[in-house]
Amino acid sequence: MMLIMKLKQAINKYLDYIKIYRSNGTYRFYKGRLSRFFSYCNNENITLKQSINKVYDYVYMLKETNKNSSVNKDLISINQLFKYYNINQRFELFKNDSVRFKSFTTNELAKIMNYLKHLNIENQLIITLLLETGIRINELLNIKIKNINLKDKTILLTTTKNNKNRYVFYSKLTQSNLEKYIKTVGSNELLFSFTYSKVNGLFRRLRKLLNIKNLNAHMFRHYFATTLLKYGVDIYAVSLLLGHSSIKTTVKYLHYDFNDLKCFYEKIEPYIS
């Protein structure tokens, strides 16, 4: 019965399930990937069963212009769709490209921080919270005012990628702006009442104004993780602060250059010579 269901109907029903039981970010991820697959099939009447035969051609097309890591995201989405309908069909993933997440330089960060005074308090908070907590955009947009502890300078995140609550910490710089900003939001439940597009728009403007190539909100998460790891914070602790399900993900945030490695070696040199 499921196999003769129209692909469009099957995708919509699966997305309804994701929307209820998964995070907003996960929903957007699957919606984007599965919508792209449906568009490729280019047939309103294609069934779930018929779409199976389209996958290899679809992947071949993606491989021409995309890295393995990107193609795998499409395959994961398709595999999960079939799994939801108990279809015994799994497409093997490609070996992932060797990846290290990109971060900005110390000089680029200085540019951003020096420009803060030209931004309104809301945009200042966006930047300092991303920088000091390493949170994801979806987590930022779902901060509840009642979960901000101004005394301890902590925030309890209840909407996270892995659906696990976690605490993050912030500095005195953010504390001052938070106290002022909270007084302006009235009876709102959420700290911020805007969408992804506003956050992305802010960083598009900063990218142009400050001439920082590819600047985006997620780079603050990378910088946060990299800085903690460089200054000797235990990788497991960093993983917890970032809300990672696996330390393997945290390792991708390591950005060591020649001087870093030289410094590490000099620290242990007395013990090995």
Side-chain angles (χ1 to χ4, degrees):
M1 182 66 179
M2 292 299 181
L3 289 174
I4 63 173
M5 180 187 288
K6 298 287 178 63
L7 176 62
K8 185 175 184 179
Q9 181 187 356
I11 289 175
N12 288 338
K13 184 178 177 182
Y14 177 59
L15 290 176
D16 285 343
Y17 164 79
I18 294 293
K19 194 170 189 177
I20 294 171
Y21 294 104
R22 298 291 185 267
S23 69
N24 291 335
T26 300
Y27 171 75
R28 282 191 298 273
F29 170 83
Y30 280 105
K31 183 180 180 181
R33 300 286 167 170
L34 292 175
S35 296
R36 184 162 69 167
F37 176 54
F38 178 74
S39 296
Y40 172 81
C41 293
N42 195 28
N43 183 348
E44 286 281 335
N45 296 313
I46 189 171
T47 65
L48 196 56
K49 181 179 181 180
Q50 291 169 336
S51 74
I52 295 173
N53 297 323
K54 294 278 189 179
V55 175
Y56 283 115
D57 287 339
Y58 177 59
V59 169
Y60 180 78
M61 182 269 293
L62 291 177
K63 283 279 289 178
E64 291 182 341
T65 55
N66 295 273
K67 292 183 178 180
N68 287 352
S69 55
S70 179
V71 177
N72 282 344
K73 291 176 181 178
D74 288 89
L75 284 172
I76 288 169
S77 301
I78 293 169
N79 282 339
Q80 289 299 316
L81 174 68
F82 292 151
K83 181 180 178 181
Y84 178 76
Y85 290 105
N86 295 315
I87 298 173
N88 188 25
Q89 175 68 58
R90 183 184 180 279
F91 294 94
E92 186 176 354
L93 303 184
F94 295 99
K95 184 177 180 181
N96 264 328
D97 318 287
S98 181
V99 164
R100 288 294 181 270
F101 293 127
K102 293 180 179 178
S103 180
F104 40 65
T105 65
T106 304
N107 287 338
E108 288 171 336
L109 176 61
K111 279 186 182 181
I112 296 168
M113 299 308 289
N114 288 334
Y115 193 77
L116 274 186
K117 60 180 177 288
H118 298 293
L119 301 174
N120 62 35
I121 190 170
E122 186 175 69
N123 287 336
Q124 287 183 31
L125 271 177
I126 291 173
I127 290 173
T128 59
L129 279 172
L130 290 173
L131 178 66
E132 296 176 358
T133 65
I135 57 179
R136 303 174 178 93
I137 301 181
N138 187 53
E139 294 168 342
L140 174 79
L141 297 182
N142 283 282
I143 293 175
K144 295 179 180 178
I145 294 175
K146 69 177 183 180
N147 291 333
I148 300 173
N149 188 320
L150 294 172
K151 181 180 178 182
D152 293 336
K153 298 197 293 293
T154 61
I155 300 172
L156 173 64
L157 303 176
T158 55
T159 301
T160 63
K161 187 175 182 179
N162 60 11
N163 294 316
K164 294 181 180 179
N165 294 352
R166 78 175 189 278
Y167 282 97
V168 291
F169 311 88
Y170 58 86
S171 74
K172 290 180 180 179
L173 171 65
T174 297
Q175 169 87 334
S176 176
N177 278 344
L178 263 179
E179 290 176 344
K180 296 174 186 174
Y181 183 70
I182 288 175
K183 293 176 182 177
T184 71
V185 297
S187 58
N188 291 354
E189 179 186 18
L190 296 177
L191 180 65
F192 299 115
S193 56
F194 47 76
T195 63
Y196 269 76
S197 60
K198 177 179 172 65
V199 180
N200 290 332
L202 168 63
F203 289 105
R204 279 196 300 271
R205 293 195 303 275
L206 289 177
R207 190 186 309 154
K208 186 176 181 179
L209 284 167
L210 304 179
N211 193 27
I212 300 177
K213 187 178 180 181
N214 300 322
L215 177 65
N216 61 77
H218 212 67
M219 290 174 76
F220 288 83
R221 181 171 170 82
H222 304 166
Y223 189 87
F224 174 80
T226 302
T227 302
L228 292 182
L229 290 167
K230 277 188 174 183
Y231 284 93
V233 177
D234 178 75
I235 193 168
Y236 180 67
V238 176
S239 182
L240 291 176
L241 287 168
L242 292 173
H244 286 159
S245 299
S246 169
I247 287 181
K248 289 181 181 178
T249 305
T250 314
V251 169
K252 294 179 182 178
Y253 287 82
L254 288 169
H255 294 270
Y256 291 140
D257 58 22
F258 175 81
N259 290 328
D260 293 325
L261 295 175
K262 186 172 185 294
C263 182
F264 293 149
Y265 182 82
E266 288 173 349
K267 286 181 179 178
I268 65 165
E269 185 179 6
Y271 303 102
I272 59 175
S273 59

